[in-house]
Amino acid sequence: MKINHVKSIFAIVLFLAFKPAFAQKEFQGMAVYESKTSTADFKSRISDNKEITPEMQKMIEERMKKMFEKTFILSFDKNASIYKEEEKLEAPGQNGGMRMMNSMMGGGGTYYKNIKEKTYTVDKEFMGKEFLVKDSLPKLNWKMESETRQIGGYTCYKATALMPVSKTDFKNYRLKKKDETKKEDEAKKDEPKKTNFMDDVEIPTEILITAWYAPEIPVSQGPDNYWGLPGLILEVNDGKTIILCSKIVINPKEKVEIKAPKNGKEVSQKEYDETVMKKMEEFKDMGGPGGNRMQFRMRD
């Protein structure tokens, strides 16, 4: 029997062994996650753009840091969880465009997962409108790997899966390579020049997810929309974003009510994506919401 199969079986045995201790009705846990998305490609394009002053570059990088580095709290029991960004005071003067980007980066709403019913509910605000997205949890075909590592004193096991990418998840946007954008510019040299940021980005159809889960915490939960492993997921890496657990509390003194959000117009994920992408196309034609410089084109 291969080593990775042995370790997978051992992880499941651990999951089943610890599960009775966590099965009581009042069981609840809390985990804090630090999420960080790489902005190296964006910073490179900003620094290459001769139209951007050092002062503008500094301001843009500070805003990007706030959007791409976040702290989330996952409250969970044996059947359900809520995942929410840690509450912070909104910066004075934050405009609608920045709030929209924050929402697309996964902030500002409550993500409820019910693994028993295999459904999720998340409240989102987009362009001043509230939406309640309700749909089935994405089914991830996890491949159990042989590697193990320690995270926060827990022995974690590695698992990988290919995951479809949502067009409305800005974290998964990739900047096109410079040679690609140059070729596009040459092909469109006779057309009116556009200055929209979205012209330079592309969205992969799927990404490879690497997760590390702890069978000692026998719940099939995890941060964001990740779930389905025999133990709490303590780290997720999609090649661009890393979500790492920094703190775990089992049966905290202060219990949290784990329930789905209710406010907003109820839509499916597909309906929400179509609404957002339609608006993004409108922004592309207009050069961005409100004429914001946030939509400047990052050119060399």
Side-chain angles (χ1 to χ4, degrees):
M1 186 177 290
K2 294 182 179 180
I3 293 176
N4 61 330
H5 288 169
V6 173
K7 289 197 172 185
S8 298
I9 292 172
F10 181 66
I12 294 171
V13 170
L14 272 178
F15 178 86
L16 295 174
F18 280 97
K19 197 169 184 179
F22 288 78
Q24 63 266 35
K25 186 178 180 180
E26 67 276 8
F27 161 72
Q28 191 175 110
M30 183 275 289
V32 179
Y33 291 87
E34 308 296 335
S35 174
K36 185 174 183 179
T37 300
S38 172
T39 59
D41 50 355
F42 288 93
K43 288 182 179 179
S44 175
R45 293 293 183 89
I46 291 172
S47 61
D48 288 345
N49 193 319
K50 302 299 188 294
E51 298 179 8
I52 300 175
T53 65
E55 292 76 16
M56 287 176 61
Q57 181 175 337
K58 183 179 179 181
M59 179 191 70
I60 293 167
E61 290 183 357
E62 287 176 352
R63 290 189 174 185
M64 287 174 65
K65 180 179 175 66
K66 290 179 181 178
M67 287 192 297
F68 288 83
E69 295 183 16
K70 296 177 177 294
T71 300
F72 293 86
I73 297 175
L74 178 74
S75 298
F76 58 89
D77 57 29
K78 59 184 178 180
N79 293 323
S81 68
I82 52 174
Y83 184 69
K84 191 172 184 178
E85 184 181 354
E86 184 180 54
E87 292 185 4
K88 294 179 182 178
L89 291 175
E90 186 175 288
Q94 189 180 55
N95 57 46
M98 292 301 295
R99 283 195 296 270
M100 180 188 74
M101 293 291 286
N102 182 61
S103 175
M104 294 179 72
M105 284 301 300
T110 298
Y111 196 111
Y112 171 84
K113 294 197 297 285
N114 189 313
I115 59 173
K116 186 176 182 180
E117 299 176 356
K118 294 181 174 57
T119 60
Y120 70 91
T121 303
V122 57
D123 56 338
K124 291 176 175 286
E125 181 184 345
F126 183 72
M127 295 300 295
K129 295 183 180 180
E130 293 185 350
F131 294 89
L132 191 66
V133 183
K134 301 180 73 173
D135 219 314
S136 300
L137 280 169
K139 180 174 174 55
L140 298 176
N141 295 316
W142 292 107
K143 178 184 177 183
M144 304 303 196
E145 306 285 356
S146 60
E147 297 175 54
T148 63
R149 57 178 288 202
Q150 293 288 315
I151 300 178
Y154 292 93
T155 299
C156 294
Y157 293 77
K158 182 180 179 180
T160 57
L162 285 173
M163 183 176 184
V165 171
S166 169
K167 292 182 179 180
T168 59
D169 187 352
F170 192 80
K171 295 192 301 295
N172 292 314
Y173 283 25
R174 269 68 169 168
L175 277 179
K176 296 176 183 176
K177 295 180 180 179
K178 292 182 181 180
D179 56 347
E180 292 179 0
T181 56
K182 285 181 180 179
K183 288 179 181 178
E184 289 179 3
D185 283 348
E186 290 174 1
K188 299 178 181 180
K189 61 183 178 180
D190 296 328
E191 298 179 13
K193 188 175 181 180
K194 295 183 179 181
T195 57
N196 192 280
F197 165 73
M198 292 300 294
D199 293 334
D200 279 350
V201 299
E202 59 184 358
I203 310 171
T205 56
E206 61 182 11
I207 50 178
L208 178 65
I209 304 298
T210 299
W212 296 89
Y213 64 97
E216 294 172 66
I217 308 174
V219 292
S220 297
Q221 291 284 357
D224 204 8
N225 58 349
Y226 301 108
W227 70 292
L229 285 168
L232 180 66
I233 299 172
L234 299 190
E235 182 177 328
V236 177
N237 187 336
D238 67 5
K240 190 174 178 69
T241 298
I242 297 176
I243 306 175
L244 176 63
C245 181
S246 59
K247 180 181 179 181
I248 299 173
V249 179
I250 301 300
N251 287 324
K253 292 181 180 179
E254 294 185 11
K255 301 292 184 182
V256 175
E257 189 174 11
I258 299 176
K259 63 178 183 179
K262 296 181 178 179
N263 295 329
K265 178 184 176 181
E266 186 172 324
V267 293
S268 67
Q269 185 66 57
K270 181 180 179 181
E271 290 170 332
Y272 177 78
D273 289 349
E274 288 174 349
T275 299
V276 172
M277 295 312 295
K278 182 179 179 181
K279 278 295 180 185
M280 294 300 287
E281 285 299 319
E282 292 177 7
F283 294 156
K284 188 174 180 180
D285 293 337
M286 295 187 297
N292 266 325
R293 288 303 298 269
M294 184 179 70
Q295 280 71 38
F296 60 80
R297 191 154 197 193
M298 298 178 186
R299 286 295 189 212
D300 44 302

